[in-house]
Amino acid sequence: MIERIVIIDNIDPQTFYGVNNANISLIRNLFPKLRMAARGNVIKVIGEDSETAEFERKIKEIEAYAAKYNKLSDEAIIDIVKGNPPQQMNVEGVILYSQAGRPITPRNPNQAKMVRSFSDNALTFALGPAGTGKTYIAIALAVAALKAKACRRIILSRPAVEAGEKLGFLPGDMKDKIDPYLRPLYDALEDMLPAVKLKEYMESDTIQIAPLAFMRGRTLNDAVIVLDEAQNTTRHQMKMFLTRLGTNSRMLVTGDVTQIDLPRTIQSGLMQALRILRGVKGIGMIEFEKKDIVRHPLVQRIVDAYEKREKEVNEEFEDNLPEQN
């Protein structure tokens, strides 16, 4: 009789063990000759050498299945232990599975182009109106790359530009003031990673979320780097960010040129970069349209209404200009 230790390190142990430890109870019943105890992410098992080795192999197969689909059913556990291929979710074009086990896939042709561009290019610009899924797909691609060990870390950034509010009036220290600007990035990550795993990644700097100013002076190797709300970068900030790209890294830059919050006297770094870099080899540019909006249908009507009003204001301004002699 020997004792073997199996460590669960690719999935949240709570997901693996199941509600009220239902999954681990089922596994115990499927290995009646073994004695086992589970605590945290460690499973200790005692039995014959060949049986404990088989147990470890099956546990790792179950863990891999749970890590891929973010869920674990009784049927899948039984199939894996008995050596039958577990039922696969054959979803075309899946990037990864959400925390709820929902497949995250491109929902329109431009999202599919964005996925292909990420695979084919070191730098991809994704441009378009709010609600087209640019940021969500960018973070899904980054998390999928991390899970597949195609990169060692994820760097997520946003310029902390005020859109009507003033940073100085927000409560708390600098982190407390900056976090609201980065909240959309946290929301996407929480939808794709177990809370325990996300906390572990954040504490170990495997996933880093920081304002754009914190990128200066760094060379980012073996990483997927996402810059969100890039229309609010200055020319110098954009150049600084793009030149952080290191070995075996990929960048995704998302933005909406119709929502620039910079003072009118400052040119958007995104606008300048698009002019300078268009046609450069190794750079992909995806331009989303209003028809690509994947949020509530009302969002598209809101965008249309604002565009209509902006056009009317511009026409009124031109009509009131004094005539030139």
Side-chain angles (χ1 to χ4, degrees):
M1 304 285 282
I2 68 163
E3 179 181 276
R4 192 180 296 269
I5 295 177
V6 183
I7 297 176
I8 307 300
D9 53 6
N10 288 320
I11 189 73
D12 178 3
Q14 291 182 350
T15 300
F16 186 87
Y17 295 153
V19 178
N20 295 325
N21 291 325
N23 293 343
I24 201 70
S25 296
L26 174 59
I27 291 171
R28 278 196 179 95
N29 292 334
L30 292 171
F31 289 92
K33 295 182 180 180
L34 300 178
R35 292 163 48 203
M36 66 185 72
R39 182 183 294 271
N41 68 333
V42 176
I43 301 176
K44 292 183 179 179
V45 59
I46 298 174
E48 297 296 330
D49 184 35
S50 60
E51 293 177 350
T52 58
E54 175 69 3
F55 173 85
E56 181 176 18
R57 187 172 68 82
K58 293 297 184 181
I59 289 296
K60 284 301 176 181
E61 288 182 23
I62 295 170
E63 180 188 8
Y65 179 94
K68 179 177 180 179
Y69 295 110
N70 270 327
K71 66 178 184 179
L72 192 55
S73 65
D74 291 353
E75 293 80 6
I77 293 172
I78 293 170
D79 284 341
I80 291 171
V81 171
K82 291 188 174 181
N84 301 322
Q87 184 177 359
Q88 302 290 319
M89 296 183 186
N90 296 319
V91 180
E92 186 176 354
V94 65
I95 301 171
L96 78 163
Y97 290 84
S98 73
Q99 265 298 95
R102 174 179 57 84
I104 298 174
T105 61
R107 295 178 61 185
N108 55 53
N110 278 325
Q111 286 188 0
K113 288 181 183 178
M114 184 176 171
V115 173
R116 290 194 297 271
S117 180
F118 177 77
S119 176
D120 296 340
N121 299 291
L123 170 60
T124 295
F125 288 91
L127 318 165
T132 51
K134 308 179 300 295
T135 301
Y136 193 80
I137 291 295
I139 294 179
L141 289 168
V143 172
L146 183 65
K147 282 190 167 188
K149 295 183 169 48
C151 68
R152 289 192 299 107
R153 54 184 174 160
I154 296 172
I155 315 292
L156 306 176
S157 187
R158 267 187 161 199
V161 173
E162 301 158 356
E165 302 87 2
K166 296 292 184 183
L167 276 173
F169 290 100
L170 293 174
D173 57 18
M174 180 55 71
K175 181 181 183 301
D176 294 328
K177 293 175 188 290
I178 292 297
D179 270 358
Y181 290 90
L182 306 175
R183 188 67 246 175
L185 306 181
Y186 288 107
D187 289 344
L189 287 170
E190 288 169 357
D191 191 42
M192 299 173 195
L193 289 166
V196 173
K197 199 67 179 177
L198 177 56
K199 181 180 179 182
E200 176 189 322
Y201 281 149
M202 299 284 286
E203 290 177 348
S204 65
D205 281 341
T206 300
I207 295 179
Q208 301 171 30
I209 305 180
L212 184 58
F214 286 58
M215 298 295 108
R216 189 174 299 278
R218 303 180 68 185
T219 300
L220 305 175
N221 297 320
D222 296 310
V224 175
I225 310 131
V226 178
L227 174 60
D228 192 35
E229 298 287 349
Q231 74 275 4
N232 289 326
T233 60
T234 65
R235 292 175 297 170
H236 296 299
Q237 286 176 328
M238 179 58 76
K239 181 180 178 182
M240 177 274 291
F241 177 81
L242 295 177
T243 53
R244 300 307 94 199
L245 186 65
T247 305
N248 193 36
S249 291
R250 293 186 182 276
M251 273 186 177
L252 287 155
V253 177
T254 69
D256 178 1
V257 295
T258 68
Q259 294 191 33
I260 298 174
D261 298 315
L262 295 168
R264 291 183 178 273
T265 55
I266 299 178
Q267 183 185 12
S268 166
L270 176 61
M271 299 285 284
Q272 184 195 52
L274 295 176
R275 289 195 299 270
I276 293 173
L277 300 177
R278 192 173 293 276
V280 174
K281 186 177 180 181
I283 298 178
M285 293 189 183
I286 314 301
E287 297 184 16
F288 289 83
E289 303 174 12
K290 288 183 293 181
K291 66 181 182 181
D292 296 318
I293 291 174
V294 293
R295 290 182 187 164
H296 193 286
L298 182 59
V299 174
Q300 185 165 341
R301 297 198 291 273
I302 291 172
V303 172
D304 288 338
Y306 270 91
E307 287 188 355
K308 180 181 178 182
R309 179 55 185 160
E310 185 175 351
K311 183 179 179 181
E312 291 171 351
V313 169
N314 290 337
E315 289 175 351
E316 290 172 5
F317 176 76
E318 292 174 359
D319 291 342
N320 292 327
L321 286 174
E323 293 184 6
Q324 298 291 330
N325 293 327

